[in-house]
mmCIF file of all heavy atoms in Angstrom:
data_model
loop_
_atom_site.group_PDB
_atom_site.id
_atom_site.type_symbol
_atom_site.label_atom_id
_atom_site.label_comp_id
_atom_site.label_asym_id
_atom_site.label_seq_id
_atom_site.Cartn_x
_atom_site.Cartn_y
_atom_site.Cartn_z
ATOM 1 N N VAL W 1073 -16.550 -15.715 -33.732
ATOM 2 C CA VAL W 1073 -15.552 -15.439 -32.747
ATOM 3 C C VAL W 1073 -14.176 -15.449 -33.539
ATOM 4 O O VAL W 1073 -13.229 -14.786 -33.157
ATOM 5 C CB VAL W 1073 -15.554 -16.437 -31.641
ATOM 6 C CG1 VAL W 1073 -14.436 -16.401 -30.679
ATOM 7 C CG2 VAL W 1073 -16.694 -16.279 -30.735
ATOM 8 N N LYS W 1074 -14.012 -16.504 -34.441
ATOM 9 C CA LYS W 1074 -12.688 -16.583 -35.072
ATOM 10 C C LYS W 1074 -12.529 -15.834 -36.346
ATOM 11 O O LYS W 1074 -11.449 -15.659 -36.890
ATOM 12 C CB LYS W 1074 -12.399 -18.082 -35.326
ATOM 13 C CG LYS W 1074 -12.110 -18.944 -34.081
ATOM 14 C CD LYS W 1074 -11.473 -20.322 -34.471
ATOM 15 C CE LYS W 1074 -10.064 -20.039 -34.937
ATOM 16 N NZ LYS W 1074 -9.490 -21.457 -35.118
ATOM 17 N N ASN W 1075 -13.672 -15.095 -36.781
ATOM 18 C CA ASN W 1075 -13.710 -14.277 -37.958
ATOM 19 C C ASN W 1075 -13.140 -14.994 -39.130
ATOM 20 O O ASN W 1075 -12.313 -14.546 -39.906
ATOM 21 C CB ASN W 1075 -12.767 -13.061 -37.640
ATOM 22 C CG ASN W 1075 -13.269 -11.780 -38.220
ATOM 23 O OD1 ASN W 1075 -14.350 -11.469 -38.302
ATOM 24 N ND2 ASN W 1075 -12.329 -11.129 -38.993
ATOM 25 N N TYR W 1076 -13.943 -16.124 -39.545
ATOM 26 C CA TYR W 1076 -13.603 -16.809 -40.761
ATOM 27 C C TYR W 1076 -14.930 -16.997 -41.551
ATOM 28 O O TYR W 1076 -15.987 -16.762 -41.003
ATOM 29 C CB TYR W 1076 -12.992 -18.139 -40.510
ATOM 30 C CG TYR W 1076 -13.848 -19.117 -39.744
ATOM 31 C CD1 TYR W 1076 -14.834 -19.914 -40.432
ATOM 32 C CD2 TYR W 1076 -13.560 -19.262 -38.496
ATOM 33 C CE1 TYR W 1076 -15.425 -20.885 -39.725
ATOM 34 C CE2 TYR W 1076 -14.194 -20.257 -37.678
ATOM 35 C CZ TYR W 1076 -15.231 -21.182 -38.393
ATOM 36 O OH TYR W 1076 -15.859 -22.064 -37.662
ATOM 37 N N SER W 1077 -14.772 -17.238 -42.831
ATOM 38 C CA SER W 1077 -15.964 -17.406 -43.797
ATOM 39 C C SER W 1077 -16.156 -18.870 -44.153
ATOM 40 O O SER W 1077 -15.131 -19.538 -44.445
ATOM 41 C CB SER W 1077 -15.875 -16.507 -44.885
ATOM 42 O OG SER W 1077 -15.711 -15.154 -44.685
ATOM 43 N N VAL W 1078 -17.434 -19.223 -44.286
ATOM 44 C CA VAL W 1078 -17.770 -20.627 -44.795
ATOM 45 C C VAL W 1078 -18.450 -20.263 -46.135
ATOM 46 O O VAL W 1078 -19.457 -19.695 -46.171
ATOM 47 C CB VAL W 1078 -18.657 -21.381 -43.831
ATOM 48 C CG1 VAL W 1078 -19.052 -22.787 -44.448
ATOM 49 C CG2 VAL W 1078 -17.911 -21.504 -42.531
ATOM 50 N N LEU W 1079 -17.818 -20.814 -47.295
ATOM 51 C CA LEU W 1079 -18.178 -20.558 -48.530
ATOM 52 C C LEU W 1079 -18.750 -21.790 -49.303
ATOM 53 O O LEU W 1079 -18.014 -22.737 -49.362
ATOM 54 C CB LEU W 1079 -17.189 -19.920 -49.424
ATOM 55 C CG LEU W 1079 -16.456 -18.718 -48.751
ATOM 56 C CD1 LEU W 1079 -15.147 -18.488 -49.613
ATOM 57 C CD2 LEU W 1079 -17.305 -17.400 -48.837
ATOM 58 N N GLY W 1080 -19.966 -21.874 -49.709
ATOM 59 C CA GLY W 1080 -20.460 -22.994 -50.414
ATOM 60 C C GLY W 1080 -20.100 -22.844 -51.896
ATOM 61 O O GLY W 1080 -19.992 -21.733 -52.457
ATOM 62 N N LEU W 1081 -19.886 -24.081 -52.577
ATOM 63 C CA LEU W 1081 -19.600 -23.977 -53.983
ATOM 64 C C LEU W 1081 -20.295 -25.100 -54.688
ATOM 65 O O LEU W 1081 -20.144 -26.287 -54.424
ATOM 66 C CB LEU W 1081 -18.001 -24.278 -54.175
ATOM 67 C CG LEU W 1081 -17.692 -24.300 -55.648
ATOM 68 C CD1 LEU W 1081 -18.061 -23.056 -56.408
ATOM 69 C CD2 LEU W 1081 -16.306 -24.705 -55.912
ATOM 70 N N HIS W 1082 -21.243 -24.728 -55.582
ATOM 71 C CA HIS W 1082 -22.076 -25.657 -56.435
ATOM 72 C C HIS W 1082 -21.603 -25.216 -57.832
ATOM 73 O O HIS W 1082 -22.339 -24.381 -58.449
ATOM 74 C CB HIS W 1082 -23.428 -25.510 -56.225
ATOM 75 C CG HIS W 1082 -24.210 -26.446 -57.040
ATOM 76 N ND1 HIS W 1082 -25.681 -26.433 -56.986
ATOM 77 C CD2 HIS W 1082 -23.903 -27.352 -57.913
ATOM 78 C CE1 HIS W 1082 -26.141 -27.334 -58.024
ATOM 79 N NE2 HIS W 1082 -25.067 -28.016 -58.459
ATOM 80 N N TRP W 1083 -20.645 -25.909 -58.394
ATOM 81 C CA TRP W 1083 -20.078 -25.332 -59.625
ATOM 82 C C TRP W 1083 -21.130 -25.474 -60.744
ATOM 83 O O TRP W 1083 -21.163 -24.522 -61.505
ATOM 84 C CB TRP W 1083 -18.999 -26.215 -60.157
ATOM 85 C CG TRP W 1083 -18.461 -25.857 -61.591
ATOM 86 C CD1 TRP W 1083 -17.846 -24.676 -61.959
ATOM 87 C CD2 TRP W 1083 -18.749 -26.745 -62.708
ATOM 88 N NE1 TRP W 1083 -17.687 -24.747 -63.376
ATOM 89 C CE2 TRP W 1083 -18.298 -25.882 -63.733
ATOM 90 C CE3 TRP W 1083 -19.388 -27.876 -62.858
ATOM 91 C CZ2 TRP W 1083 -18.401 -26.481 -65.056
ATOM 92 C CZ3 TRP W 1083 -19.471 -28.327 -64.172
ATOM 93 C CH2 TRP W 1083 -19.053 -27.603 -65.197
ATOM 94 N N GLY W 1084 -22.020 -26.347 -60.814
ATOM 95 C CA GLY W 1084 -22.897 -26.613 -61.791
ATOM 96 C C GLY W 1084 -23.895 -25.344 -61.958
ATOM 97 O O GLY W 1084 -24.431 -25.223 -63.072
ATOM 98 N N LEU W 1085 -24.125 -24.573 -60.882
ATOM 99 C CA LEU W 1085 -24.884 -23.403 -61.027
ATOM 100 C C LEU W 1085 -24.399 -22.322 -62.053
ATOM 101 O O LEU W 1085 -25.137 -21.654 -62.731
ATOM 102 C CB LEU W 1085 -25.092 -22.824 -59.678
ATOM 103 C CG LEU W 1085 -26.115 -23.293 -58.682
ATOM 104 C CD1 LEU W 1085 -26.070 -22.683 -57.348
ATOM 105 C CD2 LEU W 1085 -27.467 -23.553 -59.214
ATOM 106 N N TYR W 1086 -23.062 -22.325 -62.153
ATOM 107 C CA TYR W 1086 -22.494 -21.347 -63.113
ATOM 108 C C TYR W 1086 -22.822 -21.577 -64.538
ATOM 109 O O TYR W 1086 -22.744 -20.774 -65.345
ATOM 110 C CB TYR W 1086 -20.885 -21.341 -62.962
ATOM 111 C CG TYR W 1086 -20.478 -20.806 -61.581
ATOM 112 C CD1 TYR W 1086 -20.085 -21.474 -60.569
ATOM 113 C CD2 TYR W 1086 -20.440 -19.358 -61.585
ATOM 114 C CE1 TYR W 1086 -19.772 -20.953 -59.326
ATOM 115 C CE2 TYR W 1086 -20.081 -18.720 -60.201
ATOM 116 C CZ TYR W 1086 -19.686 -19.686 -59.124
ATOM 117 O OH TYR W 1086 -19.326 -19.031 -57.972
ATOM 118 N N ASN W 1087 -23.235 -22.920 -64.914
ATOM 119 C CA ASN W 1087 -23.455 -23.261 -66.248
ATOM 120 C C ASN W 1087 -24.886 -22.508 -66.556
ATOM 121 O O ASN W 1087 -25.023 -22.202 -67.722
ATOM 122 C CB ASN W 1087 -23.723 -24.695 -66.392
ATOM 123 C CG ASN W 1087 -22.383 -25.478 -66.546
ATOM 124 O OD1 ASN W 1087 -21.566 -25.138 -67.266
ATOM 125 N ND2 ASN W 1087 -22.223 -26.413 -65.669
ATOM 126 N N THR W 1088 -25.655 -22.322 -65.565
ATOM 127 C CA THR W 1088 -26.962 -21.577 -65.990
ATOM 128 C C THR W 1088 -26.897 -20.110 -65.368
ATOM 129 O O THR W 1088 -27.507 -19.321 -66.122
ATOM 130 C CB THR W 1088 -28.153 -22.293 -65.209
ATOM 131 O OG1 THR W 1088 -27.922 -22.362 -63.802
ATOM 132 C CG2 THR W 1088 -28.321 -23.620 -65.785
ATOM 133 N N LYS W 1089 -26.309 -19.795 -64.474
ATOM 134 C CA LYS W 1089 -26.202 -18.452 -63.889
ATOM 135 C C LYS W 1089 -25.211 -17.547 -64.499
ATOM 136 O O LYS W 1089 -25.242 -16.302 -64.697
ATOM 137 C CB LYS W 1089 -25.890 -18.542 -62.339
ATOM 138 C CG LYS W 1089 -26.962 -19.272 -61.454
ATOM 139 C CD LYS W 1089 -28.363 -18.687 -61.495
ATOM 140 C CE LYS W 1089 -29.321 -19.290 -60.493
ATOM 141 N NZ LYS W 1089 -30.596 -18.712 -60.489
ATOM 142 N N ASP W 1090 -24.039 -18.117 -65.054
ATOM 143 C CA ASP W 1090 -22.956 -17.372 -65.604
ATOM 144 C C ASP W 1090 -22.103 -18.219 -66.435
ATOM 145 O O ASP W 1090 -20.949 -18.476 -66.244
ATOM 146 C CB ASP W 1090 -22.086 -16.736 -64.435
ATOM 147 C CG ASP W 1090 -21.245 -15.615 -64.940
ATOM 148 O OD1 ASP W 1090 -21.065 -15.429 -66.273
ATOM 149 O OD2 ASP W 1090 -20.452 -15.061 -64.057
ATOM 150 N N PRO W 1091 -22.653 -18.720 -67.676
ATOM 151 C CA PRO W 1091 -21.908 -19.557 -68.652
ATOM 152 C C PRO W 1091 -20.750 -18.909 -69.079
ATOM 153 O O PRO W 1091 -19.722 -19.615 -69.460
ATOM 154 C CB PRO W 1091 -22.965 -19.816 -69.591
ATOM 155 C CG PRO W 1091 -24.172 -18.808 -69.540
ATOM 156 C CD PRO W 1091 -24.059 -18.444 -68.034
ATOM 157 N N ALA W 1092 -20.762 -17.602 -69.235
ATOM 158 C CA ALA W 1092 -19.507 -16.939 -69.708
ATOM 159 C C ALA W 1092 -18.328 -17.166 -68.828
ATOM 160 O O ALA W 1092 -17.258 -17.227 -69.311
ATOM 161 C CB ALA W 1092 -19.812 -15.340 -69.924
ATOM 162 N N ALA W 1093 -18.614 -17.167 -67.563
ATOM 163 C CA ALA W 1093 -17.551 -17.329 -66.556
ATOM 164 C C ALA W 1093 -16.936 -18.839 -66.737
ATOM 165 O O ALA W 1093 -15.679 -18.997 -66.462
ATOM 166 C CB ALA W 1093 -17.976 -17.176 -65.146
ATOM 167 N N VAL W 1094 -17.796 -19.729 -67.101
ATOM 168 C CA VAL W 1094 -17.424 -21.171 -67.252
ATOM 169 C C VAL W 1094 -16.388 -21.201 -68.440
ATOM 170 O O VAL W 1094 -15.346 -21.823 -68.486
ATOM 171 C CB VAL W 1094 -18.559 -22.033 -67.450
ATOM 172 C CG1 VAL W 1094 -18.103 -23.546 -67.853
ATOM 173 C CG2 VAL W 1094 -19.336 -22.220 -66.243
ATOM 174 N N ARG W 1095 -16.807 -20.456 -69.505
ATOM 175 C CA ARG W 1095 -15.882 -20.539 -70.756
ATOM 176 C C ARG W 1095 -14.637 -19.704 -70.520
ATOM 177 O O ARG W 1095 -13.448 -20.071 -70.910
ATOM 178 C CB ARG W 1095 -16.572 -19.826 -71.908
ATOM 179 C CG ARG W 1095 -17.814 -20.726 -72.349
ATOM 180 C CD ARG W 1095 -18.380 -20.214 -73.589
ATOM 181 N NE ARG W 1095 -19.248 -21.233 -74.312
ATOM 182 C CZ ARG W 1095 -18.754 -22.260 -75.051
ATOM 183 N NH1 ARG W 1095 -17.451 -22.306 -75.354
ATOM 184 N NH2 ARG W 1095 -19.535 -23.127 -75.514
ATOM 185 N N ALA W 1096 -14.716 -18.660 -69.675
ATOM 186 C CA ALA W 1096 -13.440 -17.954 -69.291
ATOM 187 C C ALA W 1096 -12.578 -18.844 -68.517
ATOM 188 O O ALA W 1096 -11.301 -18.770 -68.730
ATOM 189 C CB ALA W 1096 -13.795 -16.620 -68.639
ATOM 190 N N CYS W 1097 -13.154 -19.480 -67.620
ATOM 191 C CA CYS W 1097 -12.334 -20.470 -66.755
ATOM 192 C C CYS W 1097 -11.762 -21.529 -67.680
ATOM 193 O O CYS W 1097 -10.410 -21.892 -67.488
ATOM 194 C CB CYS W 1097 -13.260 -21.062 -65.691
ATOM 195 S SG CYS W 1097 -12.401 -22.346 -64.704
ATOM 196 N N HIS W 1098 -12.429 -21.957 -68.584
ATOM 197 C CA HIS W 1098 -11.858 -23.077 -69.322
ATOM 198 C C HIS W 1098 -10.651 -22.498 -70.176
ATOM 199 O O HIS W 1098 -9.638 -23.227 -70.505
ATOM 200 C CB HIS W 1098 -12.923 -23.587 -70.388
ATOM 201 C CG HIS W 1098 -12.435 -24.668 -71.344
ATOM 202 N ND1 HIS W 1098 -12.000 -25.932 -70.926
ATOM 203 C CD2 HIS W 1098 -12.095 -24.702 -72.681
ATOM 204 C CE1 HIS W 1098 -11.552 -26.556 -71.836
ATOM 205 N NE2 HIS W 1098 -11.682 -25.916 -73.047
ATOM 206 N N ASP W 1099 -10.823 -21.318 -70.740
ATOM 207 C CA ASP W 1099 -9.625 -20.617 -71.295
ATOM 208 C C ASP W 1099 -8.434 -20.515 -70.464
ATOM 209 O O ASP W 1099 -7.294 -20.873 -70.909
ATOM 210 C CB ASP W 1099 -10.026 -19.248 -71.744
ATOM 211 C CG ASP W 1099 -11.034 -19.276 -72.952
ATOM 212 O OD1 ASP W 1099 -11.261 -20.270 -73.533
ATOM 213 O OD2 ASP W 1099 -11.602 -18.142 -73.147
ATOM 214 N N GLU W 1100 -8.659 -20.279 -69.200
ATOM 215 C CA GLU W 1100 -7.470 -20.133 -68.314
ATOM 216 C C GLU W 1100 -6.913 -21.630 -67.977
ATOM 217 O O GLU W 1100 -5.756 -21.729 -67.983
ATOM 218 C CB GLU W 1100 -8.070 -19.506 -66.969
ATOM 219 C CG GLU W 1100 -7.029 -19.575 -65.736
ATOM 220 C CD GLU W 1100 -5.905 -18.593 -65.903
ATOM 221 O OE1 GLU W 1100 -5.937 -17.731 -66.871
ATOM 222 O OE2 GLU W 1100 -4.919 -18.665 -65.173
ATOM 223 N N LEU W 1101 -7.739 -22.570 -67.879
ATOM 224 C CA LEU W 1101 -7.331 -23.918 -67.648
ATOM 225 C C LEU W 1101 -6.609 -24.407 -68.897
ATOM 226 O O LEU W 1101 -5.502 -25.096 -68.703
ATOM 227 C CB LEU W 1101 -8.408 -24.882 -67.392
ATOM 228 C CG LEU W 1101 -9.187 -24.627 -66.057
ATOM 229 C CD1 LEU W 1101 -10.459 -25.521 -65.917
ATOM 230 C CD2 LEU W 1101 -8.211 -24.807 -64.832
ATOM 231 N N THR W 1102 -7.031 -24.008 -70.042
ATOM 232 C CA THR W 1102 -6.272 -24.458 -71.284
ATOM 233 C C THR W 1102 -4.953 -23.883 -71.287
ATOM 234 O O THR W 1102 -3.945 -24.674 -71.666
ATOM 235 C CB THR W 1102 -7.159 -24.134 -72.607
ATOM 236 O OG1 THR W 1102 -8.357 -24.701 -72.446
ATOM 237 C CG2 THR W 1102 -6.314 -24.463 -73.692
ATOM 238 N N GLU W 1103 -4.751 -22.622 -70.875
ATOM 239 C CA GLU W 1103 -3.501 -21.930 -70.924
ATOM 240 C C GLU W 1103 -2.553 -22.473 -69.824
ATOM 241 O O GLU W 1103 -1.392 -22.782 -70.094
ATOM 242 C CB GLU W 1103 -3.690 -20.495 -70.602
ATOM 243 C CG GLU W 1103 -2.460 -19.745 -70.614
ATOM 244 C CD GLU W 1103 -2.624 -18.167 -70.291
ATOM 245 O OE1 GLU W 1103 -3.619 -17.703 -70.431
ATOM 246 O OE2 GLU W 1103 -1.583 -17.644 -69.904
ATOM 247 N N LEU W 1104 -3.089 -22.882 -68.732
ATOM 248 C CA LEU W 1104 -2.265 -23.578 -67.663
ATOM 249 C C LEU W 1104 -1.812 -24.943 -68.061
ATOM 250 O O LEU W 1104 -0.675 -25.350 -67.832
ATOM 251 C CB LEU W 1104 -3.086 -23.660 -66.432
ATOM 252 C CG LEU W 1104 -3.434 -22.515 -65.741
ATOM 253 C CD1 LEU W 1104 -4.437 -22.555 -64.452
ATOM 254 C CD2 LEU W 1104 -2.143 -21.837 -65.084
ATOM 255 N N ALA W 1105 -2.679 -25.668 -68.923
ATOM 256 C CA ALA W 1105 -2.273 -27.038 -69.387
ATOM 257 C C ALA W 1105 -1.238 -26.865 -70.422
ATOM 258 O O ALA W 1105 -0.318 -27.650 -70.456
ATOM 259 C CB ALA W 1105 -3.623 -27.647 -69.853
ATOM 260 N N ALA W 1106 -1.285 -25.775 -71.211
ATOM 261 C CA ALA W 1106 -0.383 -25.735 -72.181
ATOM 262 C C ALA W 1106 1.004 -25.376 -71.868
ATOM 263 O O ALA W 1106 1.927 -25.712 -72.381
ATOM 264 C CB ALA W 1106 -0.836 -24.558 -73.152
ATOM 265 N N ARG W 1107 1.092 -24.666 -70.654
ATOM 266 C CA ARG W 1107 2.424 -24.364 -70.087
ATOM 267 C C ARG W 1107 2.795 -25.457 -69.035
ATOM 268 O O ARG W 1107 3.765 -25.175 -68.329
ATOM 269 C CB ARG W 1107 2.574 -22.980 -69.608
ATOM 270 C CG ARG W 1107 1.525 -22.443 -68.503
ATOM 271 C CD ARG W 1107 1.806 -21.011 -68.322
ATOM 272 N NE ARG W 1107 0.847 -20.416 -67.485
ATOM 273 C CZ ARG W 1107 0.922 -20.296 -66.112
ATOM 274 N NH1 ARG W 1107 1.963 -20.644 -65.588
ATOM 275 N NH2 ARG W 1107 -0.078 -19.629 -65.427
ATOM 276 N N GLY W 1108 1.971 -26.435 -68.741
ATOM 277 C CA GLY W 1108 2.408 -27.460 -67.895
ATOM 278 C C GLY W 1108 2.158 -27.141 -66.397
ATOM 279 O O GLY W 1108 2.631 -27.958 -65.576
ATOM 280 N N ALA W 1109 1.365 -26.152 -66.166
ATOM 281 C CA ALA W 1109 1.159 -25.806 -64.676
ATOM 282 C C ALA W 1109 0.094 -26.703 -64.131
ATOM 283 O O ALA W 1109 0.073 -26.899 -62.868
ATOM 284 C CB ALA W 1109 0.692 -24.394 -64.741
ATOM 285 N N VAL W 1110 -0.792 -27.203 -64.967
ATOM 286 C CA VAL W 1110 -1.706 -28.326 -64.487
ATOM 287 C C VAL W 1110 -1.689 -29.470 -65.469
ATOM 288 O O VAL W 1110 -1.626 -29.356 -66.722
ATOM 289 C CB VAL W 1110 -3.167 -27.758 -64.284
ATOM 290 C CG1 VAL W 1110 -3.276 -26.643 -63.424
ATOM 291 C CG2 VAL W 1110 -3.866 -27.377 -65.624
ATOM 292 N N LYS W 1111 -1.898 -30.653 -65.027
ATOM 293 C CA LYS W 1111 -2.014 -31.750 -65.801
ATOM 294 C C LYS W 1111 -2.678 -32.887 -64.978
ATOM 295 O O LYS W 1111 -2.296 -33.309 -63.866
ATOM 296 C CB LYS W 1111 -0.478 -32.364 -66.056
ATOM 297 C CG LYS W 1111 -0.569 -33.551 -67.012
ATOM 298 C CD LYS W 1111 0.815 -33.989 -67.332
ATOM 299 C CE LYS W 1111 0.920 -35.135 -68.334
ATOM 300 N NZ LYS W 1111 0.483 -34.847 -69.733
ATOM 301 N N PRO W 1112 -3.958 -33.186 -65.432
ATOM 302 C CA PRO W 1112 -4.805 -34.109 -64.574
ATOM 303 C C PRO W 1112 -4.043 -35.386 -64.196
ATOM 304 O O PRO W 1112 -3.370 -35.971 -65.164
ATOM 305 C CB PRO W 1112 -6.050 -34.534 -65.382
ATOM 306 C CG PRO W 1112 -6.153 -33.076 -66.341
ATOM 307 C CD PRO W 1112 -4.697 -32.707 -66.497
ATOM 308 N N LEU W 1113 -4.062 -35.841 -62.932
ATOM 309 C CA LEU W 1113 -3.534 -37.098 -62.438
ATOM 310 C C LEU W 1113 -4.368 -38.264 -62.973
ATOM 311 O O LEU W 1113 -5.385 -38.454 -62.250
ATOM 312 C CB LEU W 1113 -3.221 -37.058 -61.051
ATOM 313 C CG LEU W 1113 -2.792 -38.110 -60.239
ATOM 314 C CD1 LEU W 1113 -1.379 -38.516 -60.838
ATOM 315 C CD2 LEU W 1113 -2.702 -38.002 -58.872
ATOM 316 N N ILE W 1114 -3.845 -38.953 -63.839
ATOM 317 C CA ILE W 1114 -4.727 -40.283 -64.299
ATOM 318 C C ILE W 1114 -3.987 -41.430 -63.600
ATOM 319 O O ILE W 1114 -2.884 -41.804 -64.032
ATOM 320 C CB ILE W 1114 -4.845 -40.344 -65.897
ATOM 321 C CG1 ILE W 1114 -5.252 -39.100 -66.423
ATOM 322 C CG2 ILE W 1114 -5.694 -41.528 -66.314
ATOM 323 C CD1 ILE W 1114 -6.616 -38.561 -65.996
ATOM 324 N N SER W 1115 -4.724 -42.052 -62.633
ATOM 325 C CA SER W 1115 -4.089 -43.159 -62.023
ATOM 326 C C SER W 1115 -4.399 -44.477 -62.718
ATOM 327 O O SER W 1115 -3.495 -45.385 -62.602
ATOM 328 C CB SER W 1115 -4.634 -43.243 -60.596
ATOM 329 O OG SER W 1115 -6.044 -43.623 -60.664
ATOM 330 N N ASP W 1116 -5.330 -44.460 -63.587
ATOM 331 C CA ASP W 1116 -5.748 -45.708 -64.294
ATOM 332 C C ASP W 1116 -6.631 -45.387 -65.502
ATOM 333 O O ASP W 1116 -7.472 -44.657 -65.440
ATOM 334 C CB ASP W 1116 -6.478 -46.702 -63.273
ATOM 335 C CG ASP W 1116 -6.237 -48.179 -63.707
ATOM 336 O OD1 ASP W 1116 -5.625 -48.323 -64.759
ATOM 337 O OD2 ASP W 1116 -6.664 -49.040 -62.943
ATOM 338 N N ARG W 1117 -6.304 -46.061 -66.598
ATOM 339 C CA ARG W 1117 -7.160 -45.994 -67.778
ATOM 340 C C ARG W 1117 -7.733 -47.430 -67.913
ATOM 341 O O ARG W 1117 -6.940 -48.418 -68.162
ATOM 342 C CB ARG W 1117 -6.297 -45.568 -68.973
ATOM 343 C CG ARG W 1117 -5.666 -44.199 -68.760
ATOM 344 C CD ARG W 1117 -4.504 -43.933 -69.890
ATOM 345 N NE ARG W 1117 -3.848 -42.789 -69.470
ATOM 346 C CZ ARG W 1117 -3.759 -41.608 -70.256
ATOM 347 N NH1 ARG W 1117 -4.366 -41.561 -71.480
ATOM 348 N NH2 ARG W 1117 -3.097 -40.540 -69.894
ATOM 349 N N VAL W 1118 -9.066 -47.529 -67.888
ATOM 350 C CA VAL W 1118 -9.674 -48.847 -68.068
ATOM 351 C C VAL W 1118 -10.615 -49.088 -69.248
ATOM 352 O O VAL W 1118 -11.033 -48.042 -69.734
ATOM 353 C CB VAL W 1118 -10.457 -49.238 -66.723
ATOM 354 C CG1 VAL W 1118 -9.627 -48.953 -65.407
ATOM 355 C CG2 VAL W 1118 -11.730 -48.283 -66.621
ATOM 356 N N ALA W 1119 -10.732 -50.212 -69.613
ATOM 357 C CA ALA W 1119 -11.545 -50.527 -70.699
ATOM 358 C C ALA W 1119 -13.055 -50.458 -70.388
ATOM 359 O O ALA W 1119 -13.451 -50.403 -69.130
ATOM 360 C CB ALA W 1119 -11.330 -52.020 -71.150
ATOM 361 N N MET W 1120 -13.929 -50.378 -71.359
ATOM 362 C CA MET W 1120 -15.329 -50.239 -71.055
ATOM 363 C C MET W 1120 -15.821 -51.404 -70.192
ATOM 364 O O MET W 1120 -16.684 -51.056 -69.311
ATOM 365 C CB MET W 1120 -16.065 -50.260 -72.409
ATOM 366 C CG MET W 1120 -17.551 -50.019 -72.418
ATOM 367 S SD MET W 1120 -17.938 -48.336 -72.086
ATOM 368 C CE MET W 1120 -19.528 -48.257 -72.835
#
């Protein structure tokens, strides 16, 4: 009725179904990190 889509995402499947896409994504993430567009939010660094 509302004309929307429900999309499932199991990222782990790409490792076996399309590993080249995983590597391409990593290249994109590396570029984004290099220019400061993404930077993981680390709230705590703890000892072993």
Side-chain angles (χ1 to χ4, degrees):
V1073 171
K1074 292 194 69 175
N1075 212 47
Y1076 63 85
S1077 302
V1078 180
L1079 306 169
L1081 176 64
H1082 180 190
W1083 170 76
L1085 285 178
Y1086 289 99
N1087 283 310
T1088 54
K1089 301 290 187 182
D1090 193 354
V1094 173
R1095 290 190 168 273
C1097 174
H1098 181 67
D1099 291 343
E1100 174 70 13
L1101 293 175
T1102 298
E1103 181 181 341
L1104 289 172
R1107 57 186 174 93
V1110 302
K1111 187 180 180 68
L1113 172 63
I1114 309 300
S1115 62
D1116 208 353
R1117 302 165 188 243
V1118 305
M1120 184 73 151

